[in-house]
Amino acid sequence: MTKFTYYAAKAAGQAPVPEKAVHTNFLRTGRIARKDEDWVEEERRFLTYEEVAERTGIRLETAGKKTHQRLNKFHTDIKFPKMIFHKTLAAAPHLGYVHVTASKADFAEYKDVNWGFYIANFTAEITADEHFFNDIDPNYSRMYFAVAMKKEETGEKPRQVINREVRENGVLFRTADPKTALKNVLLLGAKTAELRKIVEAIG
């Protein structure tokens, strides 16, 4: 991937710009809003990769929290645990993904599948190999996906890894459409046929 250079756009002494309501209707629009004053080349102060990663992480986790709230407001009998954490890409720290929630559900022919739901501010091909993301688009976009997980007991400490026994690459769904993502996650959380009918009725 191309090496990126980042610049701080706000000049010294410049009046602060009012905070935007950056995540209003996040799931409806699917946009993770970014401030116009960030990372513009006209300014002279360079941002380190660590500074960019920190800014990206804050925005990703804010989007994750808002998304979790929207999911849990849908129906009193469909609730998800709040499990927010993020990761930025080492070679492009303006890009990253946030883990929103996780649970267990029957999926297609698979029973009791542990899964996690993520939002990324980039698009990529999701593959079955250890890299997982291939052909990453370095421009801002969006991608919502859920993957099957399992506990790996090898090593010093058990850890959660992608369960590639499910659909060969572990991916339960991947979409750029926020409404489709909302519906798919809610279906994973719907435990009865009646609840699934309610979710399916989403326009």
Side-chain angles (χ1 to χ4, degrees):
M1 186 177 289
T2 305
K3 186 173 178 61
F4 293 91
T5 303
Y6 301 94
Y7 303 85
K10 189 181 293 184
Q14 182 178 341
V17 177
E19 184 76 13
K20 299 174 186 174
V22 292
H23 296 291
T24 301
N25 296 324
F26 172 75
L27 267 178
R28 183 177 64 79
T29 65
R31 294 188 181 93
I32 299 176
R34 281 159 284 272
K35 298 178 184 177
D36 294 337
E37 69 269 19
D38 280 347
W39 312 336
V40 176
E41 295 192 14
E42 284 80 2
E43 296 298 328
R44 294 185 177 182
R45 190 178 81 80
F46 291 95
L47 293 174
T48 66
Y49 272 33
E50 290 76 16
E51 288 175 306
V52 175
E54 183 179 1
R55 294 182 182 203
T56 302
I58 291 170
R59 291 168 185 167
L60 288 169
E61 293 205 4
T62 300
K65 291 171 185 175
K66 293 292 185 182
T67 302
H68 179 262
Q69 290 173 4
R70 288 290 302 274
L71 288 167
N72 275 1
K73 284 181 180 178
F74 179 77
H75 195 285
T76 56
D77 291 331
I78 304 177
K79 297 297 180 185
F80 299 95
K82 185 178 180 181
M83 303 174 69
I84 309 292
F85 57 88
H86 77 277
K87 183 174 178 62
T88 56
L89 305 188
H94 66 290
L95 304 179
Y97 55 91
V98 59
H99 181 279
V100 178
T101 189
S103 191
K104 181 184 286 189
D106 293 341
F107 179 79
E109 70 271 25
Y110 304 98
K111 300 297 182 183
D112 292 331
V113 176
N114 290 302
W115 56 270
F117 170 54
Y118 297 82
I119 304 169
N121 68 351
F122 61 89
T123 56
E125 178 189 356
I126 297 179
T127 66
D129 62 26
E130 66 277 4
H131 298 294
F132 196 61
F133 295 124
N134 281 344
D135 298 326
I136 295 171
D137 183 346
N139 299 307
Y140 287 123
S141 50
R142 60 187 178 273
M143 181 170 66
Y144 309 85
F145 59 98
V147 293
M149 305 296 293
K150 67 178 180 179
K151 186 178 287 187
E152 185 179 68
E153 301 290 350
T154 58
E156 293 183 8
K157 294 183 179 179
R159 63 189 184 106
Q160 292 291 320
V161 297
I162 296 168
N163 183 359
R164 292 191 171 90
E165 296 170 10
V166 177
R167 287 189 159 183
E168 296 184 351
N169 63 359
V171 179
L172 305 187
F173 72 82
R174 171 190 177 273
T175 181
D177 179 59
K179 187 175 288 187
T180 300
L182 172 68
K183 193 170 184 176
N184 285 340
V185 176
L186 290 171
L187 283 171
L188 288 170
K191 302 300 184 185
T192 67
E194 183 178 355
L195 286 173
R196 285 190 286 274
K197 285 182 181 178
I198 293 172
V199 175
E200 289 285 5
I202 296 174

